Amino acid sequence: MVNTTKFKINNLNIWFGAIHPLKEVNMQIFPNEILSIIGPSNSGKTTFLRMLNRLNELQDNFKMTGFVEYDKKDIRNIDVEFLRRKVGTVFALPLPLPLSIFENVAYGVRMYGGRNKKELELIVEEALKKAYIWEEVKDRLQESAFKLSGGQQQRLCIARTLAVEPDVILFDEPCSGLDPISTAKVEEAMLKLKQNYTIVLVTNNVKQAARVGDRTAFFLSGELIELDKTDKIFTAPADVRTDGYIRGKFG
């Protein structure tokens, strides 16, 4: 039977000490969708994203109640290294390693187990192709990754995530520092990647959410206000606060 739910979140609350950034969140994330998450600053978007592969646990005074299931398993019972491999993150600022383009993509593959030279070359090439940057770098693989433009570095980081064979890709403001052309290339990659991956995108750019999201979730002050198909969220939202945020009345 095909699994129809990738993540199931029930009665989720998160605290960092006295700070309560997520409150009673209930939702599901489906396979092979792009779920856009929007909301003003301090609405809980990034905390929600980091919860999906347990990155919040790296912070002091973390506490969580409720439960989060990934492929019907409680994430607290999944080996954290395995979970973060299967649920990869692409951060707001591209963070290439001080290595060649090739070694940036190969880094995680080497870390998770040895492959022979030919296997590694094929994995790197395939990952760069999936990130839609292969044609731009195929003759420069031994150059420093720092020689790439910002947009190319971000797609390189996507390739590095793809190389370790994830199941889910979390994007945390991946285009925040990019020009419109680079942003379009990253969005194009996301739209094609969803054929084989589940994607969760946190973005402050509501137009980006509308362009790429199959569904959109609106968070406000740690609460999930509304979650629906993207076209409905942007044309006929059920909550006046969603409408106000999309129209730029606050946030």
Side-chain angles (χ1 to χ4, degrees), residues 34-38 187 191 201 203-217 229-235 246:
I34 299 178
L35 174 66
S36 295
I37 299 178
I38 60 173
E187 290 177 2
L191 287 167
L201 167 68
T203 179
N204 286 325
N205 184 336
V206 293
K207 291 181 179 178
Q208 181 174 69
R211 285 192 298 265
V212 304
D214 296 295
R215 294 189 303 149
T216 295
K229 291 182 178 179
T230 294
D231 57 355
K232 186 173 186 302
I233 288 282
F234 281 87
T235 58
I246 288 170

Side-chain angles (χ1 to χ4, degrees), residues 145-163:
F146 294 138
K147 291 186 177 181
L148 298 175
S149 70
Q152 288 173 327
Q153 287 184 10
Q154 190 62 293
R155 281 180 287 143
L156 178 69
C157 291
I158 294 171
R160 190 172 67 204
T161 298
L162 295 173

Side-chain angles (χ1 to χ4, degrees), residues 3-201:
N3 183 16
T4 57
T5 303
K6 185 56 62 179
F7 283 98
K8 185 176 182 181
I9 296 101
N10 274 59
N11 303 322
L12 175 69
N13 285 270
I14 288 178
W15 291 266
F16 299 109
I19 300 169
H20 191 184
L22 280 182
K23 304 162 187 171
E24 290 296 318
V25 175
N26 292 277
M27 63 187 292
Q28 295 182 25
I29 300 172
F30 303 128
N32 304 105
E33 75 167 343
I34 299 178
L35 174 66
S36 295
I37 299 178
I38 60 173
S41 297
N42 299 313
S43 60
K45 305 187 300 295
T46 294
T47 298
F48 176 81
L49 197 74
R50 290 169 61 90
M51 172 272 303
L52 295 174
N53 62 359
R54 295 175 56 183
L55 283 175
N56 287 319
E57 296 175 18
L58 299 173
Q59 291 187 237
D60 293 335
N61 302 317
F62 167 78
K63 179 186 173 185
M64 169 182 152
T65 61
F67 73 89
V68 179
E69 288 185 350
Y70 164 62
D71 281 346
K72 300 185 178 179
K73 297 175 184 174
D74 189 325
I75 61 170
R76 288 170 290 194
N77 296 330
I78 300 174
D79 175 77
V80 70
E81 186 176 290
F82 174 82
L83 180 67
R84 289 175 188 162
R85 178 179 176 180
K86 300 307 288 184
V87 184
T89 305
V90 177
F91 296 99
L93 293 176
L95 298 169
L97 301 168
L99 301 168
S100 69
I101 293 167
F102 182 93
E103 288 299 333
N104 261 270
V105 182
Y107 182 83
V109 183
R110 292 188 196 278
M111 189 169 65
Y112 286 119
R115 302 290 182 98
N116 66 44
K117 184 173 182 288
K118 189 63 178 176
E119 282 182 315
L120 201 58
E121 288 173 352
L122 289 172
I123 290 167
V124 169
E125 179 177 342
E126 186 64 22
L128 290 167
K129 284 179 175 176
K130 286 180 179 178
Y132 296 92
I133 190 175
W134 171 252
E135 291 299 325
E136 297 166 46
V137 303
K138 63 183 180 181
D139 299 320
R140 307 170 55 190
L141 295 178
Q142 300 311 315
E143 286 186 17
S144 168
F146 294 138
K147 291 186 177 181
L148 298 175
S149 70
Q152 288 173 327
Q153 287 184 10
Q154 190 62 293
R155 281 180 287 143
L156 178 69
C157 291
I158 294 171
R160 190 172 67 204
T161 298
L162 295 173
V164 297
E165 301 178 341
D167 179 41
V168 179
I169 308 171
L170 311 177
F171 286 93
D172 189 6
E173 286 288 335
C175 303
S176 60
L178 303 185
D179 61 82
I181 292 173
S182 296
T183 294
K185 288 182 177 179
V186 171
E187 290 177 2
E188 179 186 7
M190 281 192 276
L191 287 167
K192 292 179 179 176
L193 286 169
K194 76 171 183 177
Q195 296 172 25
N196 298 302
Y197 305 90
T198 300
I199 293 174
V200 185
L201 167 68

